[in-house]
Amino acid sequence: MTNLILFINSFLSYLLLFAFTAVLVVVACVAGAKWRKSTDARQGGAAEKTDLPGAEDMKQGNTK
């Protein structure tokens, strides 16, 4: 019985660590997206322009 209690304690400890890490990743992604949008807005949308071939076709929805 002692081994089971120790296993459950360890399992819950790692589960809590995983949940904390997952929340931290989600917060970082949301903050990064907001930061990127504010940077793009401040620069006048210059980041939307690209020199990739076929970029205009992708904007119009024409895919090959």
Side-chain angles (χ1 to χ4, degrees):
M1 186 69 179
T2 304
N3 287 338
L4 179 64
I5 292 172
L6 289 174
F7 172 75
I8 291 173
N9 186 17
S10 180
F11 180 77
L12 290 177
S13 175
Y14 280 111
L15 187 65
L16 183 63
L17 182 64
F18 173 75
F20 177 74
T21 304
V23 168
L24 191 64
V25 166
V26 168
V27 168
C29 288
V30 170
K34 284 187 177 185
W35 190 10
R36 181 78 247 170
K37 285 182 182 179
S38 68
T39 302
D40 289 347
R42 200 173 343 119
Q43 294 176 351
E48 292 180 8
K49 297 177 183 174
T50 181
D51 294 333
L52 296 175
E56 290 299 320
D57 292 335
M58 293 298 284
K59 286 180 183 177
Q60 296 172 358
N62 300 332
T63 58
K64 295 178 183 177

